[in-house]
């Protein structure tokens, strides 16, 4: 495992019900790999205070960084801030800095009760500024709390990247072949055993209209700077089995 690890908590009943498709985890995962942080776990949980509190504490203890998305808006089911306050035994209160930001953003008379709720966060937090809709996220210990709306989340996540520790980026190569998994399985397993410092995954695909398929073999490693030897072993194996391959 890499020295720098992360966990993502996606919060929202709408994700679990299938009404909303999550894209935030995929975005965060790709950004973390670029700076050498290993994403170890993604968990999707409901809008329930106890579930959020328990999961946040669990991730806080396990990983270098924790990122949550969702549940910090103005409605009754936006309870992430309250749940995190409970998790860390912090006071859940109006933050004067967040309140100032919202007062400056909304015209006079439009800072209603729902919007005011977005200034209510656990005490002792660092704010994560929101360049699009003003309502900030926050950081408490190693937990970064972000909104669920992808366009806003992405902007805010980009702003915190420079504050994270960085490691060596993960090396990743993809080899495409027209062979099927069953033909390569045993030999691919042998190559994996020879190189335990790497991860070799096979991902089959099939084009039903063309009635053709194959496999994308993904070779990755946090420890090796060069994957050439393993790539060559896999492409040679494919050739000996009568298949074709190319590195994507």
């Amino acid at each position: 495992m890499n020295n720098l690890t992360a966990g993502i908590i996606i919060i929202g009943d709408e994700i679990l019900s299938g009404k909303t498709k999550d894209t935030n985890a995929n975005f965060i995962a790709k950004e973390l790999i670029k700076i050498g942080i290993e994403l170890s776990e993604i968990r999707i949980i409901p809008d329930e205070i106890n579930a959020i509190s328990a999961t946040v504490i669990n991730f806080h203890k396990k990983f270098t960084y924790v990122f949550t998305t969702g549940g910090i808006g103005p409605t009754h089911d936006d309870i992430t801030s309250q749940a995190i306050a409970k998790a860390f035994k912090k006071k859940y209160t109006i933050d004067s800095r967040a309140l100032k930001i919202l007062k400056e953003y909304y015209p006079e008379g439009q800072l209603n009760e729902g919007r005011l709720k977005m200034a209510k966060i656990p005490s002792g937090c660092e704010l994560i500024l929101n360049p699009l809709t003003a309502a900030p996220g926050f950081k408490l210990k190693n937990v970064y709390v972000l909104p669920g709306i992808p366009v806003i989340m992405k902007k805010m996540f980009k702003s915190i990247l420079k504050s994270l520790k960085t490691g060596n980026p993960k090396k990743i190569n993809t080899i495409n072949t027209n062979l099927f998994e069953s033909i390569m399985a045993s030999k691919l397993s042998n190559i994996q055993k020879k190189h335990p410092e790497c991860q070799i995954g096979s991902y089959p695909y099939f084009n039903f209209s063309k009635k053709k398929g194959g496999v994308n073999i993904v070779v990755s490693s946090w420890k090796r700077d060069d994957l050439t030897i393993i790539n060559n072993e896999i492409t040679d194996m494919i050739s000996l089995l009568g298949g074709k391959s190319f590195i994507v």
Side-chain angles (χ1 to χ4, degrees):
M1 181 176 285
N2 195 26
N3 289 331
L4 299 172
T5 60
I8 299 174
I9 305 170
I10 306 297
I11 301 166
D13 293 338
E14 72 279 8
I15 304 294
L16 291 168
S17 69
K19 292 180 181 178
T20 300
K21 181 179 179 180
D22 173 65
T23 60
N24 289 330
N26 180 263
F27 173 82
I28 294 172
K30 289 177 178 177
E31 293 298 317
L32 293 177
I33 283 178
K34 291 177 188 176
I35 61 171
I37 298 175
E38 181 176 2
L39 178 59
S40 302
E41 186 173 349
I42 300 170
R43 194 175 300 180
I44 303 174
I45 61 174
D47 294 304
E48 295 176 2
I49 286 182
N50 290 337
I52 297 169
S53 296
T55 306
V56 165
I57 285 295
N58 177 256
F59 275 44
H60 159 66
K61 293 176 180 178
K62 286 168 65 175
F63 306 123
T64 312
Y65 297 112
V66 181
F67 304 96
T68 79
T69 72
I72 60 172
T75 60
H76 71 281
D77 57 344
D78 288 313
I79 56 172
T80 296
S81 298
Q82 183 180 355
I84 291 176
K86 177 181 178 181
F88 289 105
K89 296 179 173 59
K90 297 287 186 178
K91 189 175 181 181
Y92 176 55
T93 186
I94 294 288
D95 183 276
S96 60
R97 300 163 300 169
L99 180 60
K100 182 175 183 293
I101 290 170
L102 293 176
K103 282 183 174 180
E104 291 174 352
Y105 180 79
Y106 289 107
E108 187 174 352
Q110 292 190 25
L111 187 57
N112 57 33
E113 184 178 349
R115 289 167 175 168
L116 189 61
K117 180 183 178 183
M118 296 187 291
K120 202 170 184 182
I121 61 177
S123 60
C125 293
E126 296 178 30
L127 294 187
I128 302 173
L129 298 181
N130 174 353
L132 296 182
T133 58
F138 61 88
K139 171 182 177 288
L140 182 57
K141 297 185 182 293
N142 63 336
V143 180
Y144 294 78
V145 182
L146 301 164
I149 300 171
V151 65
I152 303 174
M153 191 286 299
K154 290 176 182 179
K155 283 280 188 182
M156 293 173 69
F157 187 81
K158 286 281 191 179
S159 74
I160 66 177
L161 278 174
K162 59 182 177 292
S163 69
L164 305 178
K165 295 179 182 178
T166 60
N168 294 320
K170 191 176 189 180
K171 305 299 181 297
I172 303 175
N173 282 332
T174 300
I175 300 168
N176 176 270
T177 176
N178 61 332
L179 295 181
F180 291 110
E181 281 187 307
S182 56
I183 296 173
M184 301 180 294
S186 62
K187 293 188 182 298
L188 199 59
S189 176
N190 291 336
I191 294 173
Q192 174 67 88
K193 289 175 183 177
K194 284 176 60 180
H195 303 282
E197 73 283 5
C198 297
Q199 296 80 46
I200 302 174
S202 62
Y203 305 96
Y205 63 89
F206 191 80
N207 187 317
F208 288 95
S209 61
K210 294 182 179 179
K211 295 184 178 179
K212 291 183 180 180
V215 176
N216 284 318
I217 300 171
V218 179
V219 182
S220 61
S221 178
W222 288 104
K223 297 180 179 179
R224 296 189 65 150
D225 292 326
D226 190 347
L227 301 176
T228 303
I229 292 175
I230 302 165
N231 290 339
N232 290 342
E233 288 186 21
I234 293 172
T235 55
D236 287 347
M237 175 266 293
I238 291 170
S239 180
L240 288 170
L241 290 172
K244 297 178 181 179
S245 66
F246 62 91
I247 296 178
V248 177

